[in-house]
């Protein structure tokens, strides 16, 4: 046991963090991330030593529980109730990810990969694709103005799609959390290092981390698309080793400019978009194929000229006076997906459409998910880990659109229509259900990406951009399978609802493994809200099955167990104390 002043100082800081913020216990990996974010990154504390968990748990103030690959830390002298109680028989513990502990050599190798590979891969991605040359057919995958945009060779499109598919197959084989998987903790992100990233549509990309993480977000440059956006650390993974085919090709998107002056660039913006993008029937703009006729790499930012299908120079057309220009305002709020990001037009004069997933789209075998809302054992909102629908960058775009004057509601919202509403200090996509019977200016809305109802006043609502590419609800509902209330029937006690919320809160955002039970998926429907997929399922988090945990707490019985008599001593089990979670959101 290290009794130095430096180690004692670390123990004191961690003790106060757990006591103040994680009274129900905390995963060691999550605690390390928070410590690095709050102290190391700000220069207020030293890095944790490699054996910090052993050094911390050697002190009598701490206690650790191991659940498969997860170590959960508690403080013994806290006056609050602990997530470690009640003690659970080992037969109820289900190890999700691995049947053995990783060896020291395996842990050393994954540590070296996280330290060395990102910068090595960044050197590979700094090379440009050989398909990008004069005479090649290209498209604009991202555009700020004629003075700054990104192009990609049409010949690379198949390779681009293949990289996304290959990365998806690689990470689908991993079952997080595991010390040996490719996830990267917040304190392990290397600035200017190369990583893989999954966007809101479930598509994988190769990216460069441009800055150290801030508030759990990393500014990422998409080397094959050109977009630069902030994404949560949870969406980032290590790229495959250098020998893998995914790393055999350099960056496919190249930043270039047309030979126009800075003064002319701004007035050419709309015309440039008209010439290089075509508008589909749904209002979404997609790039057209162009010929790269000039590719001057002698300057810091390569100067190019592009020819359209009529063999006309885009540069010359821009400089030529024109009497007709479309009155549209392009923006940069496009999705990062295979279609590539492009400047879009915000339109608020048409109703927006948002569709839930269908039952046929849901997996039948076990899969990881994120818990986003828990009302109780029969109403838990989750979304697939690979299809996170609203990461922070998407909320940021929604916030930008809601600040536009055209998004203001002039008339009362229509029942059944989709809007944005300011709830819990951020804008949420909602569906208007009905008017309040008490306040005529308030409306009951359904939060499409949370799975809960809320009341909101008209002035806190906005119209949605009808051309937004985010048209899917990826949230689904779950009911805990294999258990029933201790009192019989279908009604769960108040303590059971609180225990379910407590379970997910104590998990600190760790992935939930969903194992659908027969007969599989059906449709969840409540009031006039959209019908979303639902199923009974066994839910596991941090190596613990929530159904088994409810049974151990005396709040549930196995589905086939007889109902005990009122005098049965088996009902005198531990009942978790009440907790205060606003609206049940995790």
């Amino acid at each position: 046991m290290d009794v130095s002043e430096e180690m004692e100082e670390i123990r004191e800081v961690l003790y106060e963090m757990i006591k103040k913020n994680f009274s129900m216990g905390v995963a060691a990996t999550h605690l390390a991330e928070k410590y690095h974010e709050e102290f190391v990154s700000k220069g207020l504390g030293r890095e944790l030593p490699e054996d910090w968990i052993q050094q911390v748990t050697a002190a009598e103030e701490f206690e650790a529980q191991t659940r498969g690959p997860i170590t959960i830390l508690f403080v013994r002298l806290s006056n609050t109730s602990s997530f470690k109680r009640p003690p659970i028989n080992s037969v109820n513990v289900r190890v999700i990810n691995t049947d053995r502990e990783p060896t020291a050599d395996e842990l050393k190798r994954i540590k070296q990969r996280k330290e060395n590979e990102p910068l090595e891969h960044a050197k590979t991605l700094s090379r440009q694709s050989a398909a990008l040359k004069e005479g090649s057919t290209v498209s604009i995958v991202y555009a700020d103005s004629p003075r700054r945009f990104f192009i990609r060779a049409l010949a690379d499109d198949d390779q681009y799609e293949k990289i996304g598919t290959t990365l998806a197959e690689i990470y689908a084989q991993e079952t997080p959390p595991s010390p040996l998987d490719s996830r990267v903790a917040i304190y392990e992100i290397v600035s200017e290092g190369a990583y893989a990233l999954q966007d809101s549509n479930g598509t994988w990309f190769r990216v460069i981390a441009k800055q150290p993480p801030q508030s759990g977000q990393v500014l990422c440059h998409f080397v094959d698309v050109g977009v630069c956006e902030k994404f949560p650390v949870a969406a980032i993974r290590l790229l495959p080793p250098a020998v893998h085919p995914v790393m055999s090709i350099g960056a496919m998107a190249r930043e270039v400019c047309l030979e126009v002056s800075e003064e002319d660039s701004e007035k050419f913006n709309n015309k440039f978009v008209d010439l290089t993008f075509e508008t589909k029937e749904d209002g979404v703009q997609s790039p057209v194929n162009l010929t790269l006729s000039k590719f001057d790499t002698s300057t810091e930012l390569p100067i190019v000229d592009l020819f359209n299908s009529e063999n006309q120079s885009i540069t010359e057309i821009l400089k030529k006076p024109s009497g007709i220009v479309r009155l549209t305002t392009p923006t940069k709020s496009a999705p990062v997906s295979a279609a590539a990001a492009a400047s879009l037009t915000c339109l608020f004069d048409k109703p927006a459409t948002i569709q839930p997933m269908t039952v046929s789209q849901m997996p039948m075998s076990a899969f990881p998910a994120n818990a986003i809302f828990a009302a109780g054992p029969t109403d838990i909102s989750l979304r697939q880990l690979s299809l996170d629908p609203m990461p922070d960058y998407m909320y940021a775009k929604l916030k930008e659109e809601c600040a536009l004057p055209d998004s203001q509601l002039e008339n009362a919202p229509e029942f059944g229509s989709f809007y944005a509403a300011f709830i819990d200090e951020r804008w949420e996509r909602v569906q208007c259900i009905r008017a309040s019977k008490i306040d005529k200016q308030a409306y009951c809305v359904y939060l499409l990406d949370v799975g809960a109802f809320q009341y909101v006043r008209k002035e806190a609502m906005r119209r949605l951009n009808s051309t937004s590419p985010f048209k899917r609800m990826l949230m689904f509902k779950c009911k805990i399978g294999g258990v029933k209330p201790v009192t019989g029937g279908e009604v769960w006690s108040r303590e059971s609802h609180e225990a379910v919320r407590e379970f997910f809160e104590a998990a600190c955002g760790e992935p939930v493994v969903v194992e659908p039970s027969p007969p599989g998926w059906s449709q969840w429907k409540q009031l006039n809200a959209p019908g979303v997929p639902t199923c009974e399922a066994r839910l596991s988090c941090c190596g613990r099955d929530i159904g088994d945990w409810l049974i151990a707490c005396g709040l549930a019985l196995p589905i086939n167990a007889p109902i005990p008599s009122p005098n049965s001593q088996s009902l005198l089990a531990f009942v978790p104390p009440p907790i205060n979670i606003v609206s049940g959101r995790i």
Side-chain angles (χ1 to χ4, degrees):
M1 178 177 177
D2 186 353
V3 293
S4 64
E5 291 185 4
E6 291 83 359
M7 194 64 232
E8 286 298 321
E9 181 180 313
I10 289 176
R11 289 191 187 97
E12 291 178 6
V13 171
L14 295 177
Y15 178 87
E16 290 301 322
M17 288 180 67
I18 298 176
K19 183 177 180 180
K20 180 180 179 181
N21 302 315
F22 307 106
S23 60
M24 309 305 295
V26 59
T29 53
H30 184 71
L31 181 63
E33 292 179 8
K34 287 297 181 183
Y35 174 85
H36 187 276
E37 180 181 331
E38 296 181 16
F39 296 96
V40 180
S41 63
K42 298 177 182 178
L44 301 178
R46 63 188 74 246
E47 290 277 1
L48 293 176
E50 290 186 5
D51 64 341
W52 72 272
I53 296 179
Q54 290 84 349
Q55 293 296 336
V56 165
T57 54
E60 63 179 7
E61 294 91 348
F62 297 87
E63 182 174 336
Q65 288 188 7
T66 301
R67 293 290 180 262
I70 297 297
T71 299
I72 303 177
L73 295 176
F74 309 91
V75 291
R76 295 192 183 198
L77 303 182
S78 172
N79 292 326
T80 58
S81 58
S82 173
F83 184 59
K84 67 181 179 179
R85 288 177 282 174
I88 296 182
N89 192 328
S90 60
V91 299
N92 289 329
V93 177
R94 298 167 54 247
V95 179
I96 303 171
N97 304 300
T98 180
D99 55 1
R100 64 175 180 85
E101 292 292 330
T103 65
D105 287 342
E106 288 174 330
L107 292 174
K108 183 178 180 180
R109 282 196 297 270
I110 193 69
K111 182 175 183 293
Q112 290 175 342
R113 283 192 63 197
K114 293 178 179 179
E115 292 174 350
N116 302 326
E117 282 191 0
L119 292 178
E120 294 174 359
H121 287 338
K123 294 178 182 178
T124 301
L125 296 183
S126 65
R127 302 193 300 266
Q128 294 295 319
S129 168
L132 205 56
K133 56 187 177 181
E134 286 190 7
S136 60
T137 302
V138 301
S139 61
I140 296 177
V141 291
Y142 179 78
D144 271 342
S145 70
R147 292 288 302 172
R148 181 181 181 271
F149 57 96
F150 288 81
I151 59 175
R152 187 174 68 225
L154 194 66
D156 279 335
D157 281 358
D158 289 343
Q159 187 70 24
Y160 169 75
E161 297 290 344
K162 186 177 180 181
I163 286 177
T165 303
T166 303
L167 290 175
E169 292 173 352
I170 292 173
Y171 303 123
Q173 296 173 4
E174 297 182 349
T175 308
S178 166
L180 300 180
D181 65 27
S182 58
R183 292 187 305 166
V184 186
I186 188 170
Y187 55 88
E188 296 172 325
I189 297 292
V190 179
S191 181
E192 296 298 331
Y195 297 92
L197 184 146
Q198 187 182 42
D199 79 340
S200 63
N201 294 325
T203 308
W204 287 94
F205 299 88
R206 303 183 300 174
V207 302
I208 300 291
K210 302 302 292 183
Q211 299 174 356
Q214 295 181 352
S215 302
Q217 302 283 301
V218 183
L219 182 64
C220 297
H221 171 67
F222 290 69
V223 298
D224 301 319
V225 179
V227 174
C228 204
E229 291 282 0
K230 286 186 177 181
F231 279 79
V233 175
I236 293 176
R237 299 288 187 272
L238 288 176
L239 280 166
V243 296
H244 196 280
V246 165
M247 300 308 303
S248 64
I249 187 171
M252 299 182 197
R254 183 72 181 268
E255 183 179 1
V256 296
C257 68
L258 294 181
E259 195 170 5
V260 296
S261 66
E262 291 283 356
E263 296 177 355
D264 292 335
S265 177
E266 186 173 349
K267 68 180 182 181
F268 288 159
N269 279 352
N270 286 358
K271 192 175 180 181
F272 177 65
V273 172
D274 288 342
L275 293 171
T276 56
F277 291 85
E278 60 182 359
T279 304
K280 303 293 186 180
E281 293 182 357
D282 56 5
V284 176
Q285 293 173 310
S286 61
V288 299
N289 293 337
L290 303 164
T291 301
L292 183 60
S293 61
K294 176 182 177 181
F295 194 26
D296 183 2
T297 58
S298 61
T299 58
E300 182 178 355
L301 186 62
I303 298 175
V304 303
D305 195 9
L306 305 169
F307 276 52
N308 60 19
S309 59
E310 299 175 357
N311 205 30
Q312 296 174 314
S313 166
I314 299 298
T315 304
E316 295 301 322
I317 297 176
L318 285 177
K319 294 179 179 180
K320 188 181 299 183
S322 175
I324 301 176
V325 178
R326 266 193 317 171
L327 299 177
T328 58
T329 305
T331 71
K332 296 193 297 180
S333 55
V336 183
S337 64
S343 300
L344 297 178
T345 302
C346 289
L347 296 177
F348 299 97
D349 56 346
K350 297 180 180 179
T353 57
I354 301 174
Q355 297 292 332
M357 289 188 299
T358 62
V359 170
S360 61
Q361 292 176 297
M362 303 304 298
M364 298 304 295
S365 56
F367 62 95
N370 286 327
I372 51 177
F373 175 82
T378 60
D379 186 359
I380 301 172
S381 300
L382 305 103
R383 53 193 177 216
Q384 295 182 53
L385 198 62
S386 61
L387 297 173
D388 192 6
M390 287 289 273
D392 284 353
Y393 86 93
M394 192 179 293
Y395 275 111
K397 298 303 180 186
L398 186 62
K399 179 180 178 181
E400 291 176 6
E401 292 173 355
C402 291
L404 297 175
D406 290 346
S407 68
Q408 296 279 349
L409 271 180
E410 298 175 356
N411 303 316
E414 297 181 8
F415 302 155
S417 296
F418 300 102
Y419 300 92
F422 196 66
I423 298 171
D424 291 343
E425 302 302 318
R426 73 174 177 183
W427 291 99
E428 295 277 1
R429 301 190 304 174
V430 302
Q431 184 181 40
C432 184
I433 302 300
R434 54 179 168 77
S436 169
K437 297 179 181 179
I438 301 175
D439 184 351
K440 294 182 178 180
Q441 292 299 313
Y443 297 86
C444 175
V445 297
Y446 183 69
L447 281 65
L448 302 176
D449 301 299
V450 177
F453 293 93
Q454 182 68 279
Y455 278 94
V456 63
R457 293 180 65 84
K458 174 190 170 185
E459 55 264 29
M461 298 177 68
R462 297 289 186 272
R463 288 186 291 183
L464 287 173
N465 172 20
S466 60
T467 65
S468 171
F470 308 126
K471 300 182 181 299
R472 287 196 295 174
M473 286 173 55
L474 301 184
M475 177 271 299
F476 64 92
K477 291 284 187 177
C478 258
K479 173 183 177 182
I480 300 173
V483 294
K484 61 184 178 182
V486 292
T487 56
E490 296 293 332
V491 180
W492 289 85
S493 65
R494 173 177 173 270
E495 290 81 8
S496 302
H497 288 75
E498 291 171 345
V500 170
R501 294 196 293 267
E502 177 186 293
F503 180 94
F504 289 112
E505 185 183 57
C508 302
E510 291 290 334
V512 178
V513 174
V514 181
E515 300 180 38
S517 305
W521 295 91
S522 57
Q523 194 176 63
W524 183 89
K525 188 73 176 174
Q526 185 172 345
L527 293 179
N528 295 320
V532 298
T534 185
C535 73
E536 284 195 20
R538 295 188 70 90
L539 303 179
S540 305
C541 186
C542 299
R544 178 173 288 175
D545 184 283
I546 187 171
D548 294 342
W549 187 71
L550 288 174
I551 292 172
C553 291
L555 298 173
L557 292 172
I559 194 67
N560 296 322
I563 304 298
S565 64
N567 297 325
S568 173
Q569 293 298 315
S570 63
L571 292 178
L572 301 179
F574 168 79
V575 176
I579 58 175
N580 182 21
I581 301 179
V582 178
S583 299
R585 179 175 295 186
I586 306 301

